[in-house]
């Protein structure tokens, strides 16, 4: 597939060569269980703890505040459901938004059957949550709020620091699905004011199947959703994925080095692609905030061209209609609907996710390809 240009980095990123190199010994010779006490186990445990410190270093937190999980969906479930159970004597109310990832929304919906209540706040036309709306939604029974850092579909960055100030003022725990923001945006969780945050390796050039949940010390600890060997301080028991954890640690270390220069170069490529498309195509609509957005995100509606037909016509480009979790759905994105995008227009959305390994030459090729496909499909469409 070397002839296909990959621009779907919000769905997943390729493993960085440095990350794969760090992982290989733990997939081959250093195969021990990190819970074993013999030399094989000690080697594995040492690698896990090194990775824990690498993750903590990127997040500006203590290594003891990192809980390894299988990925962001598990981390989100552990945060929402785990805190709901841990704090149910204090209250039963959760606040989130209508534009969150389904890992948040579906978990909150499921908790309704167990007596928990969730307020789903609206977002503005850019997909952004209002801190004033958050404050107005708080009740004496509110125990948790959860708002994503950067939106996985339209790239809009939420005012996390302002929301955190509201949460702290009222003594409410604040969780963020920070998957898209970590490694691209300021990632010091204490400075952001978060009590809990989810991240995953495969969005930052690490392997799939490994993630982490940041759990701030001196706050309520989430109840475990599993029972077993007591690993990860009992919060997430189960045999540790040593190779994956090593990969997550290496990816976090690389992200910290890359963040300052890398995000500006990716944003430059994204803006170039946007300009080229705007110069040659009319009836294009940018989804998400024009400035407060993830550096690699470009989500556009191509009026008159159905997303799935558009993607089918792009033989040399890998992009998506939105969340990879909904890639087979023919429904309009729930994020675009929440933003007030008309359904007919929302069905024409395409998400370009530029990343670390994209080049200026690829941007030119993608722009030319998209322009040809859109013009051809518009010519075929009934007026």
């Amino acid at each position: 597939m070397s002839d296909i240009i990959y621009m779907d980095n919000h769905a997943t990123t390729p493993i960085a060569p440095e990350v794969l190199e760090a992982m290989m010994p733990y997939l081959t010779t250093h195969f021990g269980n990190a819970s074993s006490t013999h030399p094989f186990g000690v080697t594995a445990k040492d690698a896990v703890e090194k990775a824990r410190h690498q993750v903590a270093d990127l997040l500006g937190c203590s290594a003891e505040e990192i809980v390894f999980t299988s990925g962001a969906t598990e981390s989100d479930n552990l945060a929402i459901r785990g805190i709901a159970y841990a704090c149910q004597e204090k209250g039963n109310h959760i606040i989130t938004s209508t534009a969150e990832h389904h890992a948040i929304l579906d978990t909150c919906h499921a908790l309704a059957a167990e007596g928990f209540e969730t307020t789903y706040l609206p977002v503005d036309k850019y997909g952004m949550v209002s801190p004033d709306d958050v404050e107005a939604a708080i009740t004496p029974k509110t125990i948790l709020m959860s708002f994503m850092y950067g939106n996985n579909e339209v790239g809009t960055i939420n005012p996390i620091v302002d929301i955190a100030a509201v949460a702290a003022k009222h003594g409410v725990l604040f969780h963020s699905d920070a998957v898209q923001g970590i490694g691209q945006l300021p990632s010091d969780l204490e400075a952001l004011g978060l009590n809990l945050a989810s991240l995953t390796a495969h969005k930052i050039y690490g392997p799939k199947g490994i993630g982490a949940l940041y759990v701030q010390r001196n706050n309520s600890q989430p109840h475990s959703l599993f029972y077993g060997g007591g690993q990860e301080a009992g919060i997430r028991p189960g045999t540790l994925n040593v190779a994956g954890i090593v990969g997550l640690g290496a990816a976090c270390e690389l992200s910290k080095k890359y963040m300052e220069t890398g995000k500006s170069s990716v944003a430059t490529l994204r803006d170039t692609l946007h300009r080229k498309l705007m110069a040659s195509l009319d009836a294009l609509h940018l989804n998400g905030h024009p400035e407060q957005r993830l550096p690699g995100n470009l989500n556009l509606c191509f009026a008159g061209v159905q997303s799935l037909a558009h993607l089918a016509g792009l033989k040399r480009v890998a992009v998506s209609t939105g969340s990879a979790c909904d890639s087979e759905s023919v429904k309009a994105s729930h994020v675009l609907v929440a933003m007030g995008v008309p359904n007919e227009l929302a069905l024409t959305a395409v998400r370009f996710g530029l990343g670390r390994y994209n080049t200026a030459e690829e941007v030119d090729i993608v722009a030319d390809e998209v322009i040809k496909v859109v013009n051809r499909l518009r010519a075929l469409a009934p007026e």
Side-chain angles (χ1 to χ4, degrees):
M1 289 185 281
S2 59
D3 57 334
I4 300 177
I5 296 171
Y6 186 78
M7 284 193 179
D8 197 17
N9 284 284
H10 297 312
T12 195
T13 55
I15 295 182
E18 301 94 327
V19 171
L20 182 60
E21 183 180 2
M23 291 174 64
M24 284 307 294
Y26 301 93
L27 291 167
T28 53
T29 55
H30 300 339
F31 54 81
N33 187 322
S35 296
S36 299
T37 57
H38 50 63
F40 287 92
V42 171
T43 297
K45 183 174 178 58
D46 288 346
V48 166
E49 295 312 312
K50 176 184 176 182
R52 199 185 305 276
H53 280 85
Q54 289 171 313
V55 177
D57 189 47
L58 175 63
L59 302 184
C61 67
S62 162
E64 289 72 29
E65 295 174 308
I66 301 300
V67 177
F68 290 120
T69 67
S70 64
T73 294
E74 184 186 342
S75 294
D76 286 344
N77 274 261
L78 182 55
I80 303 297
R81 191 179 285 273
I83 289 296
Y85 293 158
C87 298
Q88 56 188 330
E89 292 185 2
K90 300 178 184 177
N92 67 339
H93 182 231
I94 300 166
I95 305 172
T96 189
S97 86
T98 52
E100 299 297 310
H101 192 281
H102 283 300
I104 300 294
L105 297 176
D106 291 353
T107 303
C108 290
H109 290 319
L111 282 170
E114 301 177 46
F116 292 93
E117 300 176 358
T118 300
T119 295
Y120 300 92
L121 295 180
V123 294
D124 65 14
K125 64 180 181 179
Y126 301 123
M128 193 176 289
V129 176
S130 163
D132 290 339
D133 288 350
V134 174
E135 186 155 31
I138 294 173
T139 76
K141 293 186 177 180
T142 305
I143 53 176
L144 177 68
M145 60 181 68
S146 181
F147 299 103
M148 60 171 51
Y149 192 177
N151 190 277
N152 58 304
E153 293 195 27
V154 299
T156 296
I157 301 167
N158 270 317
I160 292 296
V161 174
D162 294 335
I163 295 173
V166 171
K169 174 182 173 183
H170 293 274
V172 177
L173 292 175
F174 181 20
H175 164 261
S176 180
D177 180 331
V179 165
Q180 298 291 344
I182 294 298
Q184 296 194 75
L185 305 174
S187 301
D188 186 321
L189 301 185
E190 185 174 343
L192 291 173
L194 297 173
N195 305 115
L196 304 106
S198 302
L199 65 147
T200 190
H202 78 102
K203 307 291 189 181
I204 55 171
Y205 304 89
K208 300 174 185 66
I210 185 67
L213 177 66
Y214 160 74
V215 182
Q216 187 181 48
R217 287 178 298 186
N218 305 320
N219 282 300
S220 296
Q221 301 289 297
H223 276 198
S224 176
L225 305 185
F226 308 112
Y227 302 92
Q231 292 90 344
E232 296 303 278
I235 297 175
R236 203 282 187 178
T239 300
L240 293 176
N241 174 4
V242 177
I245 289 170
V246 168
L248 173 58
C252 285
E253 187 173 272
L254 271 180
S255 291
K256 187 169 184 179
K257 295 176 182 176
Y258 177 83
M259 236 190 313
E260 291 308 312
T261 56
K263 66 180 181 182
S264 60
S265 62
V266 171
T268 298
L269 292 176
R270 175 204 64 197
D271 293 343
T272 300
L273 177 60
H274 191 195
R275 283 195 303 271
K276 287 179 176 292
L277 295 176
M278 291 290 290
S280 298
L281 296 170
D282 58 7
L284 258 61
H285 303 266
L286 176 68
N287 299 312
H289 199 282
E291 297 173 356
Q292 299 300 315
R293 65 189 301 113
L294 296 170
N297 180 277
L298 181 62
N299 190 307
L300 297 170
C301 284
F302 295 80
V305 179
Q306 290 283 314
S307 303
L308 295 181
H310 191 161
L311 297 189
L314 293 173
K315 304 301 183 183
R316 302 174 59 195
V317 184
V319 291
S320 70
T321 59
S323 173
C325 306
D326 296 326
S327 61
E328 296 181 3
S329 174
V330 294
K331 297 188 298 182
S333 155
H334 75 282
V335 174
L336 296 182
V337 170
M339 292 163 51
V341 178
N343 191 73
E344 184 177 353
L345 187 60
L347 288 170
T348 71
V350 173
R351 180 186 67 179
F352 301 85
L354 286 80
R356 189 180 297 178
Y357 301 122
N358 287 125
T359 65
E361 181 184 11
E362 289 180 333
V363 165
D364 290 340
I365 295 171
V366 169
D368 290 343
E369 181 88 356
V370 170
I371 291 164
K372 289 177 185 176
V373 170
V374 170
N375 283 334
R376 185 176 74 248
L377 291 174
R378 282 178 172 171
L380 293 172
E383 190 171 343

